[in-house]
PDB file of all heavy atoms in Angstrom:
ATOM      1  N   VAL A 359       4.689   4.853   1.442  1.00 96.00           N
ATOM      2  CA  VAL A 359       3.678   3.809   1.002  1.00 96.00           C
ATOM      3  C   VAL A 359       3.969   2.400   1.681  1.00 96.00           C
ATOM      4  O   VAL A 359       3.181   1.787   2.171  1.00 96.00           O
ATOM      5  CB  VAL A 359       3.525   3.737  -0.542  1.00 96.00           C
ATOM      6  CG1 VAL A 359       2.473   2.831  -0.819  1.00 96.00           C
ATOM      7  CG2 VAL A 359       3.234   5.092  -1.038  1.00 96.00           C
ATOM      8  N   HIS A 402       4.510  -2.027  -4.278  1.00 98.00           N
ATOM      9  CA  HIS A 402       4.041  -3.348  -4.019  1.00 98.00           C
ATOM     10  C   HIS A 402       4.742  -4.467  -4.848  1.00 98.00           C
ATOM     11  O   HIS A 402       4.224  -4.997  -5.702  1.00 98.00           O
ATOM     12  CB  HIS A 402       2.485  -3.526  -4.115  1.00 98.00           C
ATOM     13  CG  HIS A 402       1.753  -2.781  -3.116  1.00 98.00           C
ATOM     14  ND1 HIS A 402       1.502  -3.186  -1.782  1.00 98.00           N
ATOM     15  CD2 HIS A 402       1.276  -1.530  -3.150  1.00 98.00           C
ATOM     16  CE1 HIS A 402       0.866  -2.324  -1.066  1.00 98.00           C
ATOM     17  NE2 HIS A 402       0.679  -1.290  -1.802  1.00 98.00           N
ATOM     18  N   HIS A 452      -0.992   0.753  -8.910  1.00 98.00           N
ATOM     19  CA  HIS A 452      -0.550   0.737  -7.480  1.00 98.00           C
ATOM     20  C   HIS A 452       0.051  -0.617  -7.148  1.00 98.00           C
ATOM     21  O   HIS A 452       0.823  -0.744  -6.202  1.00 98.00           O
ATOM     22  CB  HIS A 452      -1.704   1.111  -6.621  1.00 98.00           C
ATOM     23  CG  HIS A 452      -1.321   1.320  -5.201  1.00 98.00           C
ATOM     24  ND1 HIS A 452      -0.834   2.521  -4.715  1.00 98.00           N
ATOM     25  CD2 HIS A 452      -1.291   0.532  -4.080  1.00 98.00           C
ATOM     26  CE1 HIS A 452      -0.473   2.375  -3.498  1.00 98.00           C
ATOM     27  NE2 HIS A 452      -0.824   1.104  -3.049  1.00 98.00           N
ATOM     28  N   HIS A 519      -5.195  -2.296  -4.725  1.00 98.00           N
ATOM     29  CA  HIS A 519      -4.396  -3.630  -4.247  1.00 98.00           C
ATOM     30  C   HIS A 519      -4.989  -4.974  -4.792  1.00 98.00           C
ATOM     31  O   HIS A 519      -6.046  -5.222  -4.549  1.00 98.00           O
ATOM     32  CB  HIS A 519      -4.658  -3.609  -2.672  1.00 98.00           C
ATOM     33  CG  HIS A 519      -3.979  -2.466  -2.050  1.00 98.00           C
ATOM     34  ND1 HIS A 519      -4.684  -1.317  -1.334  1.00 98.00           N
ATOM     35  CD2 HIS A 519      -2.621  -1.965  -2.099  1.00 98.00           C
ATOM     36  CE1 HIS A 519      -3.804  -0.510  -0.956  1.00 98.00           C
ATOM     37  NE2 HIS A 519      -2.532  -0.796  -1.260  1.00 98.00           N
ATOM     38  N   HIS A 693       1.265   0.634   4.868  1.00 98.00           N
ATOM     39  CA  HIS A 693       1.715  -0.641   4.757  1.00 98.00           C
ATOM     40  C   HIS A 693       2.982  -0.892   5.727  1.00 98.00           C
ATOM     41  O   HIS A 693       3.821   0.133   5.954  1.00 98.00           O
ATOM     42  CB  HIS A 693       2.064  -1.094   3.453  1.00 98.00           C
ATOM     43  CG  HIS A 693       1.034  -0.884   2.468  1.00 98.00           C
ATOM     44  ND1 HIS A 693      -0.167  -1.646   2.430  1.00 98.00           N
ATOM     45  CD2 HIS A 693       0.817  -0.068   1.454  1.00 98.00           C
ATOM     46  CE1 HIS A 693      -0.941  -1.260   1.497  1.00 98.00           C
ATOM     47  NE2 HIS A 693      -0.396  -0.330   0.867  1.00 98.00           N
TER      48      HIS A 693
HETATM   49 FE1  LIG B  92      -0.718   0.225  -1.193  1.00 52.39          FE
END
Side-chain angles (χ1 to χ4, degrees):
V359 182
H402 289 280
H452 188 83
H519 296 116
H693 305 289

